Amino acid sequence: MPDVLLTTVCRPFGGKGEGDSVGAELFHAQVTRSQGIFSYRQVIRCWGLDYIAENIDAPVVVLHYPSKREFRREIQKRLYDIIGINFVVATFHKVQQMVNIIRKHSPGSKIVLGGYGTVLSDEELRPHSDFICREEGIGFMRRHLGEKPDRPIRHPYTPIESPRVYSVPLKTKVAQITGGLGCPNGCDFCCTSHYFKRQYIPFIQSGRELYETMFMMERKAKEAGDSLSGFIFIDEDFFIHEKRAREFLDCVREGGVSPSIMGFGSVRGLSQFTADEIAEMGFDIIWTAFEGTHSGYKKLRGTKLDELYHDLKSRGVAILTSMIIGFPYQDQKNVQSEFKELMDLAPDLWQILIYFAFPGTPLYNKVLKKGRYLSAYRKQPDYRKFDGFSMHFKHEHFKPEEIEDLQKALYRKAFETLGPSLVRVIKTWFEGYLTMKSSSRPLLRQRAERMRGYVQSALPAIYPAIWFGPNRQRRAEARQFFDDIVKESGSFSFKKRLECWGTLPLSFWTWMTESLGWFQQPGLFRREHRV
């Protein structure tokens, strides 16, 4: 059998000419990016590589975020027949550097390029590859290696660290489970949807299978000596698949234990369920879309947003929502109006992206056809700017630099208006506890106790917001919230007081390390399969 190496692009991220929105930390780079010491720090591994490695028979080594030196050392110490590189368009320049290293130190290796970066043309990619995977990667690699492509998919146990706050690593881990790839919603800007031609490719067929996969992950965690704090469901719109989701809910009710889950769902999908049902399933954080009030996407149809957000938050479900600026109908006035509407909805976390014409999407083809694509990106594009944080086409009301400055301003304004997401999530847990502690539903009462435990353990994390929040009003709110928790819990031990005060020097350390660029890069994670 051929020896296979699968790897991400090399670190460091955010080098000269690179934006700070593309890297190994999705929260810090794109969600809590403006929140300084309060930002969530969590390295997200490239789970697709782990899935491929788990589901082929050949011996595989997987590298997540090697340095160039570590990558070179890997291919020098072992002769790999195939080297697969996962990348996005914004990291194509890193692929070119890695290919040069391969051709110098392992010239006999065949290079396979995969990931969303393969939306680039053959003309651009062929000089740097022997094969290009523009489809679901497990089936592609099985066929490429002469294996049976239609075998059942096995889910790898490849947990990631729980989010760090104030530089403190938690002892728990989060397991990832992929429900499926692709999205049928087909939003015109969405690379994910159109990469898979608006088709949904299920990895898990039923709710029962999903439930049993969770138990399998828990068994493997126990064998590995890991403590799991919860799960991330990788599925673009979990709730749109109503039959599978309801079967999963039935399994949870039957088992009598509500798990802790982060997942993704559209307004359209979420509206098929009550807030109680979503809470019983175990969802603690849901990433959903706000986009724009006049964007017109079908996925936004359903329950009114204020009602949806309120009901979910009252059950302890934190909302992470995404807004887009740069739609053709938007000008400065209605962007600010829509932003105010988003702030009134009071999400716990937020992402604000620029309407981006990603190659391969209908929006990209449309602006090219109409001659609206900026010549600088059409003729000699700087792919490092293909990140959702830059404007690539002509807009009637904004110049590129104006909308990019507006994006920065809105991130900061959201932080000043709503305060740290870290505190907002704890508030939602607290609200969920108060709402559900007397519920007639056993799973919701159990969930209330879990939320109560979350709040008590997270109490010291609120303390820095009292001292270093973005403004006087947010600091006063943090103080009042802190007092409300102490009043409800009825006790405040000396140990807990020490933990609270201990977060202040940790906050200073966090500020200093980020300001000086210390310890900001992910480390290498190397895993062997059948080697």
Side-chain angles (χ1 to χ4, degrees):
M1 284 186 178
D3 284 339
V4 179
L5 174 67
L6 301 176
T7 180
T8 66
V9 294
C10 291
R11 67 179 196 272
F13 296 98
K16 184 177 180 181
E18 296 180 14
D20 59 1
S21 62
V22 177
E25 297 185 64
L26 178 60
F27 279 108
H28 185 63
Q30 296 193 15
V31 178
T32 55
R33 61 181 281 119
S34 63
Q35 300 187 29
I37 62 170
F38 304 102
S39 185
Y40 283 173
R41 306 302 301 264
Q42 182 183 40
V43 174
I44 307 293
R45 293 210 297 271
C46 185
W47 53 268
L49 298 181
D50 294 313
Y51 263 83
I52 294 171
E54 183 77 13
N55 284 278
I56 59 178
D57 294 331
V60 185
V61 171
V62 178
L63 303 180
H64 294 270
Y65 313 119
S67 67
K68 291 179 185 176
R69 180 181 178 182
E70 289 165 339
F71 177 65
R72 182 173 62 249
R73 188 165 55 209
E74 181 69 42
I75 63 175
Q76 284 179 319
K77 72 179 183 181
R78 185 181 183 90
L79 177 61
Y80 288 101
D81 301 287
I82 297 171
I83 300 177
I85 305 174
N86 179 282
F87 73 109
V88 296
V89 172
T91 57
F92 180 48
H93 63 290
K94 292 180 176 291
V95 171
Q96 295 170 301
Q97 297 165 4
M98 294 172 73
V99 168
N100 290 337
I101 294 173
I102 294 169
R103 287 180 173 163
K104 180 177 180 181
H105 298 284
S106 185
S109 299
K110 298 296 183 182
I111 301 170
V112 181
L113 299 185
Y116 292 131
T118 60
V119 297
L120 297 178
S121 68
D122 281 359
E123 182 182 1
E124 294 168 291
L125 298 183
R126 284 299 178 196
H128 309 287
S129 64
D130 297 288
F131 305 96
I132 302 172
C133 172
R134 291 190 172 105
E135 58 183 275
E136 185 276 308
I138 296 172
F140 175 89
M141 286 300 294
R142 283 174 172 174
R143 291 194 304 273
H144 185 71
L145 295 169
E147 301 176 12
K148 294 181 179 179
D150 55 353
R151 302 198 313 272
I153 289 176
R154 299 188 301 268
H155 296 268
Y157 175 66
T158 54
I160 59 176
E161 303 292 333
S162 295
R164 287 178 290 122
V165 292
Y166 311 130
S167 302
V168 178
L170 300 182
K171 296 179 181 179
T172 57
K173 294 185 178 182
V174 180
Q176 302 178 77
I177 300 174
T178 300
L181 302 178
C183 178
N185 287 319
C187 299
D188 61 346
F189 62 86
C190 180
C191 174
T192 301
S193 187
H194 295 283
Y195 186 87
F196 294 104
K197 299 177 175 60
R198 295 187 62 176
Q199 300 297 310
Y200 179 71
I201 304 171
F203 278 20
I204 290 180
Q205 301 289 343
S206 68
R208 172 68 62 181
E209 183 184 351
L210 176 56
Y211 186 71
E212 291 174 352
T213 302
M214 286 175 46
F215 273 96
M216 179 269 289
M217 294 291 178
E218 290 177 341
R219 287 196 301 271
K220 289 191 174 182
K222 188 175 182 179
E223 292 169 2
D226 295 336
S227 174
L228 284 187
S229 62
F231 302 87
I232 298 176
F233 283 177
I234 307 296
D235 200 299
E236 291 291 320
D237 195 349
F238 174 78
F239 299 92
I240 204 172
H241 308 286
E242 184 179 4
K243 181 180 178 181
R244 185 181 65 180
R246 289 203 177 278
E247 185 178 352
F248 174 70
L249 174 59
D250 290 341
C251 291
V252 174
R253 286 172 171 168
E254 180 184 312
V257 178
S258 181
S260 173
I261 303 168
M262 176 184 173
F264 304 80
S266 67
V267 174
R268 177 184 168 199
L270 290 165
S271 299
Q272 299 179 124
F273 301 86
T274 66
D276 282 343
E277 289 172 333
I278 294 169
E280 283 183 295
M281 289 184 208
F283 284 90
D284 290 349
I285 298 179
I286 291 177
W287 192 327
T288 189
F290 173 83
E291 312 298 35
T293 55
H294 300 291
S295 53
Y297 298 119
K298 291 182 180 180
K299 68 180 182 182
L300 300 175
R301 299 175 186 174
T303 307
K304 291 182 178 179
L305 290 182
D306 56 350
E307 180 183 339
L308 179 67
Y309 282 41
H310 172 269
D311 289 350
L312 289 173
K313 285 161 65 70
S314 69
R315 273 72 170 184
V317 183
I319 301 295
L320 194 173
T321 193
S322 57
M323 179 182 181
I324 291 178
I325 59 175
F327 286 119
Y329 71 85
Q330 288 178 330
D331 56 20
Q332 182 73 237
K333 183 178 179 180
N334 57 34
V335 165
Q336 294 294 344
S337 175
E338 291 183 356
F339 177 76
K340 182 181 182 304
E341 183 175 334
L342 179 63
M343 295 298 97
D344 290 342
L345 291 170
D348 302 284
L349 305 106
W350 49 88
Q351 179 193 53
I352 303 170
L353 296 182
I354 293 172
Y355 192 44
F356 175 51
F358 198 88
T361 62
L363 177 59
Y364 178 81
N365 296 329
K366 181 179 179 181
V367 295
L368 271 181
K369 184 177 180 180
K370 292 188 174 183
R372 292 171 54 205
Y373 218 80
L374 296 175
S375 59
Y377 290 104
R378 187 176 68 251
K379 295 177 181 178
Q380 291 183 317
D382 183 354
Y383 287 132
R384 294 173 298 181
K385 299 289 187 180
F386 280 56
D387 56 359
F389 285 75
S390 56
M391 172 64 79
H392 292 174
F393 57 90
K394 299 173 185 176
H395 195 285
E396 184 177 352
H397 304 292
F398 295 104
K399 294 179 180 178
E401 60 272 15
E402 290 175 341
I403 202 163
E404 291 162 19
D405 289 343
L406 176 60
Q407 182 187 36
K408 294 176 184 176
L410 292 180
Y411 264 110
R412 181 64 195 179
K413 190 174 180 180
F415 180 45
E416 294 171 349
T417 303
L418 298 176
S421 289
L422 173 62
V423 176
R424 296 200 63 79
V425 170
I426 301 172
K427 279 185 178 180
T428 294
W429 292 341
F430 189 58
E431 183 180 355
Y433 161 68
L434 295 176
T435 302
M436 298 182 295
K437 65 180 181 178
S438 300
S439 173
S440 61
R441 301 189 180 202
L443 278 177
L444 294 186
R445 290 198 306 274
Q446 181 193 107
R447 179 180 173 86
E449 284 305 304
R450 177 157 59 83
M451 295 291 159
R452 180 173 175 268
Y454 286 171
V455 172
Q456 289 181 337
S457 64
L459 185 65
I462 303 170
Y463 216 63
I466 297 171
W467 294 86
F468 310 124
N471 51 49
R472 182 180 298 176
Q473 187 174 357
R474 302 289 84 80
R475 292 192 290 271
E477 288 174 353
R479 164 59 71 181
Q480 183 60 57
F481 178 46
F482 185 92
D483 293 342
D484 290 343
I485 296 173
V486 174
K487 183 179 179 181
E488 174 66 26
S489 64
S491 62
F492 191 37
S493 67
F494 178 71
K495 179 182 178 182
K496 189 67 70 173
R497 290 179 186 274
L498 286 179
E499 290 175 355
C500 290
W501 283 108
T503 58
L504 299 184
L506 286 171
S507 299
F508 174 74
W509 171 256
T510 301
W511 171 80
M512 184 176 71
T513 53
E514 184 173 2
S515 299
L516 298 176
W518 294 350
F519 315 117
Q520 300 300 300
Q521 296 294 330
L524 169 67
F525 180 84
R526 183 181 185 276
R527 187 170 184 180
E528 297 181 349
H529 298 255
R530 299 167 301 280
V531 173

